[in-house]
Amino acid sequence: MHSLAQDKSSIHSYKLTGKLASFCIATRAEDLPAATLESGRQLILDTIGVSLLASTHTIGRLISAQAAELGGHAQTAGVFGTGNLKVSPVFAAQANGTMANALDYDSGQHLPTHILPAVLAVAEEGGLSGRDALAAFIVAYEAAARLTKVIDAKRAEHQGPTYRGWWHVGLIGPVAAALAACRLKGADVEQAARAIGIATASSAGFRRSMGTMTKALHSGNAARAGIEAALLSMRGFTGDPEIIEAPLGFVAAIAMPNESDATPITERLGRSFVLEKSPGVKRYPAVTPAHGVITAALKLAAEGGYTLEDIEKVESDFRSFSLSRMKARDEEEAGFCAPYLIAASLVHGAFGPEQILPAAIADSRVRKLSERIVQIPKTAGEGNVVTLHLRGGKTLSARAHGERAFEPDYIARKFTHCALAALNVLAVDEINDIVAHLDQQSSIDRLMALARGA
């Protein structure tokens, strides 16, 4: 079994760019496993829901205003939660992608946050069917998931580009969105390979942006750049059709020697599909490594036996690699600030969309408690531990895993809770029904009209 790391001299022979292009263009919708259709529908529903919730936040209003101002004369693609706003597909995709990633409440891998906005914008403009949209989403998701594994081969060993600070959403996102757009627009394999080359001109982004609005813009920019790449390629604009594997190309530039592995594409692309197993959805609007300590704090809150005034100090072995913000001054920082997340969970006994609103962030009880939260080193075999040190020397401790939600009923309830922030209950129920039967829809026009709030 070969890998890019094992045989650098033959990187070019893998033809990774062509394999991704061929897979996304040639895979027939009728050949997609039934399990991928179900997972795809769940992720689409979840992503629309969290985007609608974000449309009511400051970041949603800002990016929607940007789309309205720059959206051009081709008013063919809708922006979530804006009423009747339709703009050009590239700006609709940018706005919707930014909202999808804004609250860090999406599926967690973040792949839907750039793939789905590109799919919906292109499919709406082209009058394409729900079946077309779902198939494009699934194949682009598969390609993106496998390409991510190529560059993240050493992530578990604390090595590789995304451990050094690159963010996979900004790197992989433009490629994934380009492949989805190419499929929907009827590109051939050669055009799709060139589009990958064009899309990588927009591949960028750093983990340091987490806790700012720019973090979410990675998804919006990826969706926009992917559509642009597809359009340019189909006009005849050139891009390197071997950009992923070539010397001085994508992998060679961002991955150090021995950090990458070609086999996720050469041996596992579509065999079986990643989405044959549901990836689940997030339970909390916060970065994934926070979910364990949130759950632990919620356990302590539920068990009780103390008052907030009793707490002298809170210790936790949270991961500051992702939880990089030590103060929560706004909605963006809150989801990446362990002291805030733990304190809010202890104070409110819950952590959901209400806990990332300005009123919750400004809560004096949460602010005072967060100042008493201290990070401690992780003990071997431990992790996600929250310990309360109470007056009189008593301690209470809990540990938990940040488990994802897989149950269809939970995913539907989460969608309803999120979407009702922007839409009425009739619209929310209809969207739920449309997405549940997405592959049977002759077009996505009604879905997009409802998601706009029209």
Side-chain angles (χ1 to χ4, degrees):
M1 185 179 297
H2 293 287
S3 73
L4 293 178
Q6 294 167 328
D7 190 2
K8 292 192 297 177
S9 65
S10 63
I11 286 175
H12 184 74
S13 67
Y14 283 105
K15 305 292 184 182
L16 303 182
T17 313
K19 286 181 182 294
L20 292 173
S22 179
F23 171 80
C24 287
I25 298 303
T27 300
R28 301 187 307 171
E30 56 266 32
D31 293 334
L32 294 173
T36 67
L37 304 182
E38 180 59 24
S39 295
R41 287 188 292 260
Q42 290 180 351
L43 291 178
I44 289 170
L45 185 70
D46 186 67
T47 306
I48 293 173
V50 299
S51 302
L52 286 166
L53 178 60
S55 75
T56 68
H57 286 244
T58 301
I59 186 172
R61 292 190 288 271
L62 292 176
I63 198 66
S64 297
Q66 178 90 340
E69 182 177 342
L70 302 179
H73 299 296
Q75 299 175 347
T76 54
V79 178
F80 293 142
T82 57
N84 289 311
L85 179 61
K86 296 183 74 172
V87 296
S88 67
V90 291
F91 288 106
Q94 183 184 50
N96 291 336
T98 301
M99 288 188 279
N101 200 329
L103 307 180
D104 223 278
Y105 203 15
D106 59 274
S107 67
Q109 291 84 6
H110 300 301
L111 302 182
T113 65
H114 44 79
I115 296 171
L116 182 62
V119 165
L120 294 179
V122 174
E124 183 180 12
E125 181 192 45
L128 302 179
S129 71
R131 182 172 183 261
D132 293 331
L134 182 57
F137 176 82
I138 291 168
V139 297
Y141 190 105
E142 175 73 8
R146 299 307 186 185
L147 181 55
T148 300
K149 290 294 186 181
V150 169
I151 65 170
D152 257 353
K154 293 296 183 72
R155 178 64 186 273
E157 301 171 34
H158 296 177
Q159 298 178 43
T162 62
Y163 189 77
R164 285 194 297 275
W166 290 101
W167 197 31
H168 72 277
V169 172
L171 293 172
I172 307 294
V175 173
L179 287 168
C182 280
R183 179 184 176 99
L184 289 168
K185 285 189 163 293
D188 61 28
V189 173
E190 182 181 349
Q191 290 169 328
R194 286 206 310 266
I196 294 174
I198 297 167
T200 59
S202 300
S203 290
F206 310 108
R207 294 181 61 88
R208 180 61 190 175
S209 291
M210 293 182 179
T212 73
M213 292 182 183
T214 300
K215 173 258 186 186
L217 189 62
H218 286 78
S219 290
N221 280 350
R224 172 191 53 77
I227 296 175
E228 288 179 338
L231 292 170
L232 286 168
S233 180
M234 294 180 75
R235 289 181 186 276
F237 203 90
T238 63
D240 193 314
E242 299 176 343
I243 193 69
I244 301 297
E245 68 273 14
L248 305 181
F250 183 84
V251 172
I254 63 172
M256 301 292 286
N258 303 314
E259 286 182 343
S260 56
D261 180 6
T263 58
I265 293 176
T266 60
E267 298 184 11
R268 294 192 287 279
L269 183 66
R271 313 174 191 168
S272 58
F273 281 74
V274 172
L275 287 182
E276 288 188 55
K277 180 179 179 181
S278 171
V281 301
K282 282 189 172 184
R283 295 181 182 272
Y284 311 121
V287 65
T288 298
H291 289 212
V293 292
I294 292 173
T295 303
L298 292 175
K299 281 186 177 181
L300 292 170
E303 292 168 0
Y306 64 92
T307 66
L308 294 177
E309 291 72 24
D310 292 332
I311 301 174
E312 293 184 338
K313 180 175 68 172
V314 180
E315 292 182 333
S316 177
D317 59 352
F318 60 84
R319 294 172 53 192
S320 55
F321 179 77
S322 295
L323 289 159
S324 57
R325 305 290 170 173
M326 296 307 295
K327 291 185 181 296
R329 293 165 292 191
D330 55 37
E331 301 159 63
E332 282 66 47
E333 289 184 334
F336 294 84
C337 175
Y340 173 78
L341 297 169
I342 294 169
S345 298
L346 290 169
V347 169
H348 296 289
F351 198 87
E354 294 77 13
Q355 278 65 52
I356 54 171
L357 293 173
I361 295 168
D363 189 321
S364 60
R365 299 171 300 167
V366 175
R367 286 187 175 276
K368 289 177 182 178
L369 182 56
S370 66
E371 293 172 356
R372 304 200 292 274
I373 294 176
V374 179
Q375 183 184 19
I376 59 172
K378 179 180 176 182
T379 305
E382 292 293 321
N384 299 324
V385 175
V386 176
T387 301
L388 310 184
H389 293 266
L390 308 178
R391 287 186 295 197
K394 182 179 180 181
T395 63
L396 298 172
S397 186
R399 179 189 178 205
H401 296 290
E403 295 181 353
R404 306 173 69 75
F406 298 92
E407 307 86 357
D409 287 349
Y410 180 94
I411 295 170
R413 289 197 305 273
K414 177 188 170 184
F415 166 75
T416 297
H417 189 190
C418 290
L420 283 175
L423 306 178
N424 64 54
V425 67
L426 294 177
V428 171
D429 288 346
E430 189 174 348
I431 290 175
N432 201 336
D433 184 65
I434 289 174
V435 175
H437 304 91
L438 185 59
D439 44 327
Q440 301 171 29
Q441 306 299 315
S442 60
S443 81
I444 65 164
D445 288 353
R446 180 62 179 167
L447 171 63
M448 293 307 296
L450 290 165
R452 289 199 313 272

